[in-house]
Amino acid sequence: MLNNRPGVAPDTRERVLAAATELGFRPSHRARALSYSRAFALGLVMARPAELLGADPFFPAFIAGVETELAKVGHALVLRVVTGGWEEEANGYRQLADDGRVDGVFLSDLRVGDDPRLPLLQELRLPAVTLQTPDTSPAFPAVNLDERTGISAAVEHLAALGHRRIAHVAGPQQFVHGRRRRDAWADTLRGLGLPPGPEAAGDFTAAGGAAATRRLFQDGEPPSAIVYANDLMAIAGITVAHELGLSIPDDLSVTGFDDTELARHVHPSLTTVRMDALAMGRAAARALLQLVEKGSAESVDLPPAELVLRRSTAPPAPGGLPRPRASQADDEPRSSS
């Protein structure tokens, strides 16, 4: 009756609800879950070190979007972080399913090729929504964002400014989104008739972006522009460039990806590709709730990522890139004067 089930006369329901309000009665979430054989919770298993999750600006915004939708219907989000490899990750999903702790899960960081989590979730009969469509045949509804358009726009913008040696600091290539951003950079260079640029692997962290930037400048012919796979690595790259004695954007142009809050407040403000992680979280939550409730849900295509022009890009220096000075790693002691 308190859960609006059918079979109760309207006047009877009103009297009972009035009495419950007078007595200060609050429905039991646990009793409701037992009655419906539901957990009224959705899960997210993250196979990343906790310190990397804290540094990645995407996930707080995505989780905020999910929570916004779950709060409307009284559901909870169960977050599990695993760091011990595939077996621990697989056991995380098995425990969530076997214990009945969640009604469905969000699947992020899709793997390139055959993602082993897809058949596992089908075996567990655990509803899921994926962030981006997997490389293989889709087994679940997906929330899709066209990342290629934004990366291509960044490369085209740099080429229009006159840059010809455009590098890329990539995200992890085992992830679909890391590979697709890298491929968009390479394909756009080829489509523009530009030579393949240098690239360095990063891990979406500031430390990884800084290390990758240093490797690019160990090359005998460094780039005049760098397209980074996320803002965090780009901001770290700007710091490294300053350490090398380079001016942004006079000596080196830089673009990021995400359009995080910090991107507009660094100096110079960061030209970047805007994606709405909050909207992705909300769309994923709505799709998964519908899948759990009705047994089916449509995939969702979000608006394409778009380039946001700020002050970190400019035409290349007329005389070419000045020779960077030697830099010290951040963890090395520095002499004081």
Side-chain angles (χ1 to χ4, degrees):
M1 183 180 301
L2 294 172
N3 291 325
N4 292 321
R5 288 187 175 182
V8 179
D11 57 339
T12 302
R13 177 179 284 109
E14 290 179 7
R15 288 197 303 272
V16 172
L17 291 175
T21 301
E22 184 178 349
L23 293 171
F25 174 80
R26 298 180 61 185
S28 167
H29 182 82
R30 178 175 296 180
R32 180 175 173 233
L34 291 172
S35 175
Y36 280 87
S37 297
R38 290 268 303 279
F40 296 101
L42 304 177
L44 176 62
V45 177
M46 297 301 308
R48 291 195 190 190
E51 59 270 21
L52 295 188
L53 285 177
D56 191 334
F58 169 81
F59 285 103
F62 172 79
I63 290 172
V66 170
E67 290 280 16
T68 298
E69 295 299 318
L70 297 190
K72 296 176 182 178
V73 292
H75 284 49
L77 177 66
V78 177
L79 177 64
R80 173 166 293 185
V81 178
V82 297
T83 59
W86 165 242
E87 283 303 321
E88 182 181 346
E89 184 179 8
N91 286 336
Y93 287 107
R94 292 191 184 100
Q95 289 174 7
L96 289 177
D98 293 345
D99 297 345
R101 294 188 61 192
V102 298
D103 301 313
V105 294
F106 302 100
L107 206 60
S108 66
D109 289 341
L110 287 178
R111 276 63 157 181
V112 171
D114 294 325
D115 192 321
R117 296 172 299 172
L118 298 174
L120 173 64
L121 295 179
Q122 289 178 303
E123 174 190 329
L124 296 173
R125 299 180 182 274
L126 195 58
V129 165
T130 63
L131 306 187
Q132 304 290 31
T133 300
D135 289 338
T136 54
S137 298
F140 301 103
V143 175
N144 294 306
L145 172 73
D146 177 9
E147 301 170 304
R148 291 183 61 92
T149 297
I151 292 289
S152 294
V155 176
E156 290 168 353
H157 166 65
L158 293 169
L161 290 173
H163 293 277
R164 295 296 176 263
R165 188 162 174 80
I166 302 172
H168 182 53
V169 171
Q173 293 301 284
Q174 71 269 28
F175 294 154
V176 166
H177 58 297
R179 177 69 60 86
R180 289 178 181 171
R181 294 176 196 181
R182 185 264 171 204
D183 288 349
W185 160 79
D187 292 345
T188 306
L189 287 177
R190 187 163 46 250
L192 293 171
L194 296 178
E199 59 182 296
D203 58 4
F204 287 140
T205 68
T213 304
R214 291 190 181 95
R215 290 196 298 273
L216 287 175
F217 283 98
Q218 291 169 357
D219 192 336
E221 188 180 356
S224 65
I226 306 176
V227 174
Y228 287 83
N230 77 347
D231 284 355
L232 199 58
M233 295 195 297
I235 292 169
I238 289 174
T239 300
V240 169
H242 288 157
E243 291 175 356
L244 295 173
L246 302 176
S247 173
I248 308 294
D250 297 333
D251 298 325
L252 177 70
S253 287
V254 169
T255 71
F257 192 106
D258 284 328
D259 192 25
T260 57
E261 181 68 20
L262 190 59
R264 68 198 69 180
H265 297 294
V266 296
H267 180 72
S269 55
L270 182 64
T271 292
T272 186
V273 176
R274 175 177 294 160
M275 65 167 294
D276 193 340
L278 186 75
M280 179 172 275
R282 297 188 67 170
R286 289 193 296 265
L288 188 51
L289 287 169
Q290 182 178 344
L291 181 62
V292 169
E293 291 284 348
K294 300 182 178 180
S296 65
E298 296 292 329
S299 292
V300 178
D301 293 326
L302 297 176
E306 60 181 358
L307 185 65
V308 179
L309 298 179
R310 294 198 179 100
R311 301 177 66 86
S312 65
T313 53
L321 187 67
R323 183 177 180 84
R325 65 170 180 249
S327 69
Q328 295 172 293
D330 289 340
D331 56 354
E332 292 179 350
R334 298 170 184 250
S335 60
S336 57
S337 56

